Amino acid sequence: MDMIDPFGRTISYLRVSVTDRCDFRCTYCMAEDMAFLPKKDLLSLEELDRLCTVFIEKGVRKLRLTGGEPLVRKNIMHLVRQISRHLESGALEELTLTTNGSQLSRFAAELADCGVKRINVSLDTLGPEKFRQITRWGNLDKVMDGIDAAQAAGLKVKLNAVALKDFNDAELPEMLRWAHGRGMELTVIETMPMGEIDADRTDQYLPLSLLRAALERQFTLTDTPYKTGGPARYVHVAETGGRLGFITPMTHNFCESCNRVRLTCTGTLYMCLGQEDAADLRAPLRASEGNELVADAIDEAIGRKPKGHDFIIDRRTNRPSVSRHMSVTGG
């Protein structure tokens, strides 16, 4: 039975934040002094596997593990291996991961062995000093080693870069050439007003319509119908032969085709990235050894999935559109 929301959209894609913790503190995502969830509040890996299994039984065909940084969750590969049984059975079409790359050199080969075919790596700059500045704690060399390990393991790598005004906008043409030269796609993302950070997002926000216009002074960009199941719209870049994706939650939202819901490491289901409305799945999960209660709770939640988000970034709107950080919901 497929999950159909009130607007006729089939929900087939689940993003699971396995931890809100991260070994970076990216300036557009987190405050430097973050208060993370108590470990006692987190679902166990077995509970996460059980919830994922219920969603797969209810029609999820693509599952992405996110964080925070998913690879810092203790024993995370146990969960990956457990979920991979659904790939083997054919119930799940794709298991993917979004990572900052810091731990990839340790886990890339095992991810591939578990049936993961492709991953997304968040990377906003190729400059070591700028990388340290944007991540606060990150080491670019470790990320590059992780990308090398992923490609050596046969994983298809896509880079995600948040476009930040006066920080990396001038560098994105170089990143595009570098990524395509190594056989990787690049997707650029508008910054989103989620959670309090130590900055004014109006100083960071770069509409991708402006970025595309700037890129078209150097590249020939042709719209394509290519889709990966997520919100990106893709263009073909004639000069490099590769694909470039645009994720535009601010200037051109992608809600009309939304097929996604997000599950947090505490068992909270968010039906929309940009709304506070949520459903508690932890209580029904723990109330019974069977899955009927949690399946009913999922049905109820999907039945009130909103039409879309209401993100705003401007000088008159200084507060985040939602209070939680992206690391809680899952990037």
Side-chain angles (χ1 to χ4, degrees), residues 292-324:
E292 294 83 4
L293 293 178
V294 73
D296 289 344
I298 292 170
D299 288 340
E300 188 276 332
I302 298 301
R304 53 187 172 88
K305 180 174 167 64
K307 187 173 184 178
H309 62 247
D310 302 306
F311 286 150
I312 299 172
I313 295 179
D314 60 31
R315 293 291 178 189
R316 296 166 296 175
T317 310
N318 294 323
R319 303 289 297 175
S321 294
V322 293
S323 60
R324 67 187 184 278

Side-chain angles (χ1 to χ4, degrees), residues 40 42 159 198 202 259 272:
K40 63 180 177 60
L42 272 60
L159 301 182
D198 303 324
T202 54
N259 61 344
C272 175

